[in-house]
Amino acid sequence: ADPCVIKVTEGEYKDWFFLYGTTDTTSCTAYACWKSKDLTNWQAVSICFMPQADSWGQTSLWAPGVIFDPSDGKYYLFYSAVNSASGYYDGVKYLGMAVSDSPAGPFEQYTGTNGNGDTFTRSDPIFDIRKAKDAPFFQTEYAKETASYNDKTGFIDACPFIASDGTKYLYMCRNRNAHKSNIISVVRMTDWATPDYSTYTELTTVNRTTLGGNVEPERSETTINEAPYMTERNGKFYLTFSINATTDPEYAVMQAVGDSPLGPFTKVQDSEGGLVIGIDYMVNEWDHVLCCG
């Protein structure tokens, strides 16, 4: 589940595609990776990341997002996991980051002091929403009316992204463990270990085409906007995301468009091509691909 695929552009594995994914949604304790030249035939490569025994997160590793940064030649793996060995609340998912010189790993959980002066040991996730409380987003009327962020607010589905101007971003899903719904949010990264918490903002509202708007999407989203992925083309930014539950046949991939990596984004209506992959019930002809979010 939750596949992330990158194409390697240099080094030992040049021109290979690498795939990373969730191998077990309840007790996954490590990530494996595979390689392919044609995206059809895959070879197992390695167990590329396994948290050490004193890590904050050791189980339920979900939805890895891997990116190569040409500025330092390193590969960065972002992931979510459940707390085990730190002061964070049990059973809440947080985001971690691990680094490697190779797409095959081994990836090592980041430790050290980042650009904000925060010191990380293996007991610390890479992103802590409590440090974003002064972000302008939280001063908006929308946030005051709808947000209930607290120490039990968790995050999943990390997606790192480098824009054409070189700026770095981390997209994520605010998990509904402490909220009524999953939504997509973003923070700009000074570097991959340093969130610029002042930029944190939400990008979607469930069952609305814009953040806090009044227009409803043609396709019901129930309580879920998750699994963000960002693409940039010709000055536009395309955010894909999943709606509905993983067990719902209509767990589909939709898209939204914006002029900035930080939004605002407007969801594309189903009748205007908003469906990326899923049941096309608008024409009632293509219903054989199910739960593909």
Side-chain angles (χ1 to χ4, degrees):
D2 307 324
C4 167
V5 178
I6 65 171
K7 186 176 183 180
V8 181
T9 57
E10 59 182 55
E12 176 186 1
Y13 296 104
K14 186 174 190 252
D15 295 329
W16 284 91
F17 294 98
F18 266 68
L19 182 151
Y20 313 81
T22 305
T23 56
D24 184 324
T25 57
T26 57
S27 60
C28 182
T29 58
Y31 288 127
C33 63
W34 295 261
K35 66 178 182 178
S36 173
K37 279 290 182 74
D38 58 11
L39 296 174
T40 300
N41 301 284
W42 294 89
Q43 305 171 29
V45 178
S46 66
I47 301 298
C48 60
F49 176 61
M50 178 179 291
Q52 297 196 30
D54 57 350
S55 174
W56 63 270
Q58 297 177 342
T59 61
S60 294
L61 274 71
W62 286 3
V66 177
I67 193 168
F68 172 72
D69 192 334
S71 69
D72 61 11
K74 294 187 180 297
Y75 294 83
Y76 293 86
L77 183 154
F78 288 84
Y79 61 96
S80 62
V82 171
N83 162 69
S84 58
S86 75
Y88 287 79
Y89 289 94
D90 290 338
V92 178
K93 285 187 173 292
Y94 296 94
L95 299 181
M97 186 265 282
V99 191
S100 177
D101 293 323
S102 168
F107 286 86
E108 296 290 337
Q109 184 182 336
Y110 172 79
T111 57
T113 302
N114 71 1
N116 292 334
D118 298 324
T119 299
F120 291 83
T121 68
R122 283 194 289 268
S123 294
D124 303 300
I126 202 69
F127 177 81
D128 187 343
I129 190 61
R130 294 175 294 183
K131 297 176 181 176
K133 290 299 179 67
D134 294 328
F137 165 74
F138 290 103
Q139 312 311 314
T140 65
E141 289 304 314
Y142 171 77
K144 292 177 182 177
E145 292 174 0
T146 63
S148 58
Y149 287 78
N150 55 42
D151 290 343
K152 289 192 176 183
T153 293
F155 293 85
I156 59 174
D157 299 346
C159 173
F161 170 72
I162 302 175
S164 58
D165 63 2
T167 52
K168 300 175 173 65
Y169 301 86
L170 185 65
Y171 295 86
M172 63 196 84
C173 166
R174 187 204 67 194
N175 203 8
R176 63 188 184 279
N177 55 289
H179 303 269
K180 294 180 180 179
S181 63
N182 282 9
I183 57 90
I184 307 302
S185 58
V186 64
V187 66
R188 186 166 61 221
M189 304 291 283
T190 305
D191 57 57
W192 293 122
T194 310
D196 178 356
Y197 287 108
S198 70
T199 66
Y200 178 82
T201 187
E202 293 181 4
L203 299 179
T204 68
T205 302
V206 169
N207 291 314
R208 295 293 185 270
T209 58
T210 56
L211 185 70
N214 297 316
V215 178
E216 297 184 10
E218 295 164 342
R219 186 180 291 248
S220 173
E221 301 174 347
T222 60
T223 61
I224 294 175
N225 286 175
E226 64 183 18
Y229 187 82
M230 180 56 60
T231 304
E232 178 185 358
R233 183 174 186 268
N234 295 336
K236 293 287 186 180
F237 295 87
Y238 296 85
L239 171 69
T240 61
F241 58 97
S242 297
I243 61 173
N244 298 307
T246 57
T247 54
D248 190 324
E250 295 182 22
Y251 186 52
V253 181
M254 307 299 291
Q255 63 179 308
V257 184
D259 294 322
S260 163
L262 293 171
F265 283 87
T266 300
K267 296 173 183 176
V268 182
Q269 289 285 20
D270 214 337
S271 59
E272 298 172 349
L275 178 68
V276 178
I277 185 170
I279 298 174
D280 192 357
Y281 65 76
M282 298 291 287
V283 296
N284 198 29
E285 293 176 353
W286 216 71
D287 62 357
H288 55 287
V289 176
L290 310 178
C291 305
C292 53

